[in-house]
Amino acid sequence: MPAGPAGDSAVHEPHGLALGSGPIGEPVEAISVTASAVSVTASAVSVTASAVSVTPSAVSVTASAVSVGAPQPRIVIFDCETTGTDRLQDQVIELCIQRGLADDAPSQTWRIKPTAPIHPGAQAVHGISIGDLEACPPFAEVAAAIAAVFAETDVIVGYNIAFDIDMLQAEYTRIGKPLLDLSGKQIVDAFRLWQQCEPRSLQHAHQRFVGNGFAAAHSASADVAATGRVLSGMLRAFNLADQDWESIACKCDPQYASRAAWVGPSRHLRWEGDVVVLGFGKHSNAPVHQLAAGPDRSFLRWVVERDFPVHVGEVCRAALDLPGEEFLAWARRRYPQVAPSAAK
């Protein structure tokens, strides 16, 4: 959604309802009414079917426009565009909220100037360049307004919403502000709802991509044979049959390209050049051997004592025990870097 003038947010308000003349003798002037302008209880007005004639085109009412009994929950749909997918390093550059489910519900968009570069892959998806954001405010200037929106809502809706929430919360951490308090909010993820309501079991996949069910489901031999048929059907259906396996693996896992730099099987630690750096926490991006030799080495002791993946504790313990160059030599032997793939 396009933003307003630089530094401003774009606001879109819904149209009111237009009512024409009345059927009982006297003409009635046209009235423009928004859902929030009038509150009517069942006991306040008595209307018989013969008293009023309303054509379908005269009034458009959505479920969210009428409140009967208990007040309706306040719903906000939101989505973020970002410089990339790394919560620790990438940043939010556009955020839109919509108050309600209807197409004409009011919405608001913020565009935000980041301090991180926009990854080419991300720009290819959302089409926002760093030049488009040159005159936009930094996140710190819009943080309070965004937080106010979430404070006043009851239901938060999104598509694969965990990513958007994580990226937004990281922005508050980055500027030293409290995280959004989402306790008591109902989180509705349309993507997860789809998964639950239309299951993605191997049986369902076989029916869709092969065209029938299969016998002996959940025996290992039947499942591996069915998986082969399903994948072949998927490659044909999604026009991937001519792709190499690395391209297919990358399609399966958006973090595939960054995994080559990981130290071990998670992104807690990664190689940057010839040194191992942290990928999490308040010392994110700090070289581990330098942290171990400095006044904040207690952070590594804390990691060792907590329930982090085994390889993370092992690397931090080695950094505490070995001098810097010895540690780096040990890390290269224990967790060698994967050579980058040739460009295709």
Side-chain angles (χ1 to χ4, degrees):
M1 182 176 295
D8 293 336
S9 57
V11 181
H12 308 271
E13 297 294 343
H15 300 295
L17 305 178
L19 301 181
S21 61
I24 313 176
E26 297 295 328
V28 179
E29 293 181 356
I31 302 173
S32 178
V33 182
T34 64
S36 61
V38 179
S39 176
V40 179
T41 65
S43 61
V45 180
S46 176
V47 180
T48 65
S50 61
V52 180
S53 174
V54 179
T55 63
S57 61
V59 181
S60 175
V61 180
T62 64
S64 60
V66 180
S67 176
V68 178
Q72 294 296 303
R74 297 164 296 180
I75 300 172
V76 160
I77 309 171
F78 94 103
D79 182 72
C80 295
E81 302 298 345
T82 62
T83 61
T85 58
D86 189 330
R87 181 179 63 85
L88 299 175
Q89 300 187 63
D90 289 306
Q91 298 175 21
V92 174
I93 57 175
E94 185 175 75
L95 185 145
C96 180
I97 64 97
Q98 177 177 296
R99 293 177 173 86
L101 305 185
D103 284 346
D104 61 352
S107 65
Q108 187 167 0
T109 300
W110 291 268
R111 276 197 167 183
I112 301 159
K113 184 178 181 179
T115 58
I118 299 176
H119 291 275
Q123 185 169 333
V125 173
H126 52 57
I128 303 172
S129 70
I130 198 69
D132 296 331
L133 306 171
E134 190 59 38
C136 295
F139 185 82
E141 292 185 15
V142 299
I146 293 172
V149 170
F150 286 91
E152 296 169 356
T153 191
D154 303 305
V155 181
I156 302 172
V157 180
Y159 194 85
N160 199 17
I161 197 173
F163 170 79
D164 299 277
I165 290 174
D166 283 351
M167 295 298 294
L168 186 55
Q169 296 285 40
E171 291 290 353
Y172 286 94
T173 298
R174 194 171 290 116
I175 63 173
K177 297 294 185 182
L179 299 180
L180 297 175
D181 182 6
L182 303 183
S183 59
K185 313 290 186 186
Q186 302 302 318
I187 309 295
V188 178
D189 188 332
F191 173 61
R192 299 299 178 191
L193 183 62
W194 182 22
Q195 286 183 316
Q196 292 299 317
C197 294
E198 291 188 2
R200 299 295 196 267
S201 70
L202 183 56
Q203 280 277 27
H204 290 91
H206 200 278
Q207 185 66 51
R208 175 176 175 184
F209 295 104
V210 181
N212 52 55
F214 66 98
H218 301 303
S219 73
S221 60
D223 285 359
V224 296
T227 300
R229 294 191 295 271
V230 165
L231 181 57
S232 296
M234 285 181 167
L235 297 180
R236 289 191 298 270
F238 301 137
N239 298 317
L240 297 173
D242 60 345
Q243 299 291 309
D244 59 41
W245 287 108
E246 183 174 7
S247 298
I248 295 168
C250 188
K251 178 74 72 174
C252 294
D253 181 6
Q255 293 185 337
Y256 179 85
S258 65
R259 287 180 185 275
W262 289 4
V263 176
S266 74
R267 65 178 184 178
H268 290 88
L269 302 161
R270 69 179 184 276
W271 287 103
E272 282 199 1
D274 293 327
V275 300
V276 177
V277 302
L278 284 172
F280 68 99
K282 62 182 179 180
H283 296 292
S284 180
N285 302 319
V288 174
H289 70 289
Q290 292 180 8
L291 194 61
D296 293 318
R297 62 185 278 118
S298 60
F299 180 79
L300 298 182
R301 292 197 194 98
W302 175 83
V303 171
V304 169
E305 294 169 358
R306 294 299 185 273
D307 189 25
F308 282 91
V310 173
H311 68 285
V312 177
E314 180 187 44
V315 171
C316 291
R317 188 179 298 107
L320 290 167
D321 293 343
L322 299 172
E325 289 303 319
E326 287 186 32
F327 164 74
L328 292 174
W330 171 86
R332 284 191 287 270
R333 292 192 304 271
R334 185 79 172 91
Y335 297 99
Q337 287 182 270
V338 178
S341 301
K344 293 181 173 59

